[in-house]
Amino acid sequence: MKGKKCRVAVFASGTGTNLQALIDASMNDDYMAKIELVVSDKDGIMAIDRAKKHGIDYRVIPYSNEDDGKLTAKQTINVLKEHKIDLIVLAGYMRILHSDLIKSYNGKIINIHPSLIPLYCGKGFYGDRVHRTVLEDKCEYSGVTIHFVDEGVDTGDVIYQQRVKIDDGETVESLKAKIHKLEHMSLVKVVDEEARKLL
Ligand code: GRF
């Protein structure tokens, strides 16, 4: 349908630079995804400031241990339905999604991870630890992976990967910056492609 765009919710727990890349891209008329909602498990983070600045609706849904997160999942599903969300993008969201949520949006949840999955992923591999371990292991390459979310941690089908060369004298900071830049470009591209498939 002309003018129709895929309605996207971005889940974030931190600075939200990937969210910002998506917001910037979606300002282009040809971009097929529209960021309708930002969901976070905590308040006072930059990702929420970005949502506010751009007039994007946001919800802080703190994780509750009750029923192993079943209640949190229910609240989240309700908010997603309210906003008629078609696609969920996890971009630095630090919680594992409950299976009820995954089942409700099967094949419509994607995650971005700053390494070449299956390397340096899974429980405990987030933030600087990913890059530090890559450097300790003297890898020649690292990179970015975007994948569908299933009930495991970083185990869903890979949609897109791109590698970066590790230079002599590379540090955690320099590698992180290089990968972050690549993440932004990769996520913008993949979200547009997935949005087109869902329309
Ligand atoms: C990114 O490195 C992403 O791969 C990981 O969390 C980080 C989020 O960064 N899952 P930002 O908040 O989008 O800047």
Side-chain angles (χ1 to χ4, degrees), residues 15-18 92 112-114 180 183:
T15 51
T17 64
N18 281 286
I112 182 157
H113 185 79
H180 236 141
E183 282 190 300

Side-chain angles (χ1 to χ4, degrees), residues 118-188:
L119 301 173
Y120 309 104
C121 63
K123 277 203 176 112
F125 272 114
Y126 59 86
D128 287 358
R129 183 166 170 223
V130 175
H131 310 302
R132 198 179 310 117
T133 316
V134 165
L135 294 178
E136 280 166 6
D137 287 355
K138 306 204 180 316
C139 298
E140 204 182 333
Y141 294 96
S142 189
V144 171
T145 303
I146 299 171
H147 63 93
F148 286 112
V149 173
D150 64 10
E151 293 188 26
V153 182
D154 300 332
T155 51
D157 289 347
V158 169
I159 307 169
Y160 179 89
Q161 281 189 309
Q162 178 130 19
R163 61 184 196 172
V164 289
K165 177 111 177 64
I166 295 176
D167 294 318
D168 288 345
E170 195 85 73
T171 63
V172 169
E173 284 312 311
S174 66
L175 182 57
K176 188 159 90 176
K178 217 149 81 171
I179 289 183
H180 236 141
K181 197 169 163 201
L182 185 62
E183 282 190 300
H184 301 156
M185 292 186 299
S186 307
L187 193 61
V188 163

